[in-house]
Amino acid sequence: MFDPFQLKSLTGRGIMTSSKRKPATKLAGYFLIIMLLSLAIAVPGQIGTRKELKVPDILGFVTLKCDFHMHTVFSDGLVWPEVRVEEMWCEGYDAFSITDHVEYHPFSEDVSTDLNRSYELAKPDAEALGLLLIRGAEITRMKPPGHFNTLFLSDANLLNVEDFKEAMRAAHDQGAFIIWNHPGWPDDKEEWYPIHTELYEEGLLQGIEVVNGDTYYPSAHRWALEKKLTMFGNSDIHVPTAMEYDIAAGRHKPVTLVFAKERTAEAIKEALLARRTVVWSIDNLIGEEQYLRPIFDAAVEILTGEVELHGLHHSPIQIRNTCDVPFKLELVEGDDSLRVPAQFILYPDRTIRLSVRAAGAELSGEKEVEIRYRVTNLLIAPNEGMQVAFKLRVKFLSSTN
Ligand SMILES: [Zn+2]
Ligand SMILES: [Zn+2]
């Protein structure tokens, strides 16, 4: 079994026999040399690097970075479960779920079809690395109804029944949280079918993937808002992450940000039921304003709250963004007395400098100015960026002074 700490080779092998060694055969000598070499290789050292995903905690909750949809060789993925654990740790996630297909096992000649097996193999390593692993599975049917992730299962094998509704009920009976996956796949058509109304009304549908991979589903976004479904952005990754995402270049898989009371699986479930999530896809945050606004407010700070403007000379304003999400701003409403940038980007984990100037050289006196921008990548609804306001104290010194 893969041992990320390389501890096994340090224990119980060869050391005792070396001190007791009698004059030995040539073969035993070679054996000793090989054992000593293996001990030398197994010296503890740096064995991994994690890139933290920086998004602030908000509203008294801890912001957990989660991915609730991925596959391993226990369905049609191309990696072993422990590799998923290692990837999730390196990429800065806090919690995840391996959701192998209940009905689809292309590697069944070589790999067990026990639906709990990928979870059981990954669990010890996840615990050792401080990651929360949630037992899940993907009910996989032709659309409609489509595919559904079932999270917080106690026994995934109970979902392996022919009748679709029976499989969904088997998940529900275990207290599962159920998500409709990739609603626009495979036909590029997002359609809410009668079966989805049925599931929704029977309490068998609580969440929806607004994002799957790098695909955004605007209709799913709208349904989530209208029907009060929890929003998810999941990777659904089948291959090793590095084959699809250039992590070293700053790319990341989709993230479901969960605002939890504490860092436990139970707290995640409570947060999902309370719909406290935001989707982070590429540069976009998708979610309700009640969560997007505190994220922006916690991450962004105007360092130059007061500015002196001399005639028509430009003066700098510094604004800092402490999180890993960029914010792309477009001017909505300025102030007649001030010229400000029509658009700018608050880059991740950077301070930027903007220049402003008085609208006229003759202006004088002091005033508080409010400038409104739209953050085009904070989506509170399809095509609707959240508005923010910056307040500045401005002292105009006319050029005749
Ligand atoms: Zn699927
Ligand atoms: Zn899937």
Side-chain angles (χ1 to χ4, degrees), residues 106-136:
F107 308 133
S108 58
E109 277 186 27
D110 300 301
V111 180
S112 162
T113 54
D114 182 335
L115 294 169
N116 292 312
R117 197 68 193 127
S118 49
Y119 171 85
E120 286 163 358
L121 285 166
K123 184 71 175 163
D125 283 358
E127 267 176 12
L129 293 179
L131 298 174
L132 301 169
L133 178 63
I134 290 153
R135 194 192 302 256

Side-chain angles (χ1 to χ4, degrees), residues 158-396:
L158 298 177
L159 277 54
N160 200 5
V161 292
E162 202 177 325
D163 183 73
F164 166 67
K165 288 284 285 289
E166 218 177 290
M168 295 288 272
R169 282 193 203 103
H172 182 70
D173 290 347
Q174 296 177 42
F177 188 97
I178 305 180
I179 308 162
W180 181 11
N181 297 340
H182 43 71
W185 185 87
D187 50 5
D188 281 336
K189 220 171 68 181
E190 292 172 67
E191 191 171 341
W192 182 280
Y193 292 90
I195 181 69
H196 299 116
T197 302
E198 218 178 285
L199 295 172
Y200 178 69
E201 286 175 353
E202 289 178 37
L204 297 173
L205 182 58
Q206 294 133 306
I208 192 162
E209 281 185 347
V210 173
V211 166
N212 177 284
D214 283 344
T215 307
Y216 165 60
Y217 297 113
S219 297
H221 189 183
R222 214 174 43 250
W223 297 332
L225 294 170
E226 287 167 7
K227 300 172 195 299
K228 306 276 178 230
L229 293 166
T230 307
M231 292 186 221
F232 288 85
N234 293 326
S235 73
D236 198 3
I237 192 139
H238 285 66
V239 295
T241 299
M243 285 175 69
E244 277 190 14
Y245 294 86
D246 192 350
I247 302 291
R251 289 287 324 279
H252 63 87
K253 293 195 302 231
V255 182
T256 302
L257 299 171
V258 176
F259 310 110
K261 288 179 181 166
E262 56 182 18
R263 195 191 164 88
T264 62
E266 295 71 30
I268 289 177
K269 189 173 182 185
E270 187 278 331
L272 297 187
L273 289 166
R275 303 178 56 244
R276 290 196 307 271
T277 66
V278 158
V279 172
W280 180 11
S281 168
I282 313 174
D283 283 347
N284 298 314
L285 290 185
I286 303 157
E288 293 193 17
E289 188 170 346
Q290 59 174 321
Y291 305 120
L292 294 182
R293 188 166 299 286
I295 288 174
F296 183 89
D297 289 347
V300 175
E301 186 187 1
I302 300 191
L303 303 178
T304 321
E306 286 183 26
V307 63
E308 273 190 8
L309 300 177
H310 296 263
L312 292 179
H313 290 285
H314 287 242
S315 285
I317 289 177
Q318 294 189 45
I319 310 179
R320 177 179 293 160
N321 173 12
T322 55
C323 82
D324 275 346
V325 183
F327 297 109
K328 301 173 181 178
L329 293 94
E330 281 179 9
L331 184 63
V332 176
E333 195 182 352
D335 185 281
D336 288 347
S337 62
L338 203 64
R339 293 281 179 266
V340 296
Q343 52 193 34
F344 61 91
I345 299 173
L346 291 164
Y347 295 105
D349 203 20
R350 293 283 184 277
T351 299
I352 65 157
R353 219 165 63 209
L354 302 173
S355 74
V356 299
R357 71 164 176 84
E362 73 291 351
L363 287 168
S364 65
E366 241 182 284
K367 70 186 280 198
E368 182 141 298
V369 170
E370 187 179 283
I371 315 290
R372 298 194 67 80
Y373 283 91
R374 177 175 292 107
V375 191
T376 58
N377 63 317
L378 294 186
L379 292 174
I380 54 174
N383 294 316
E384 192 183 337
M386 188 182 81
Q387 286 196 28
V388 296
F390 290 112
K391 285 198 173 77
L392 277 179
R393 184 102 204 133
V394 187
K395 196 170 180 184
F396 296 97

Side-chain angles (χ1 to χ4, degrees), residues 69 71 101 138 140 147 181-182 185 236:
H69 191 168
H71 297 273
H101 298 287
E138 183 172 15
T140 310
H147 298 187
N181 297 340
H182 43 71
W185 185 87
D236 198 3

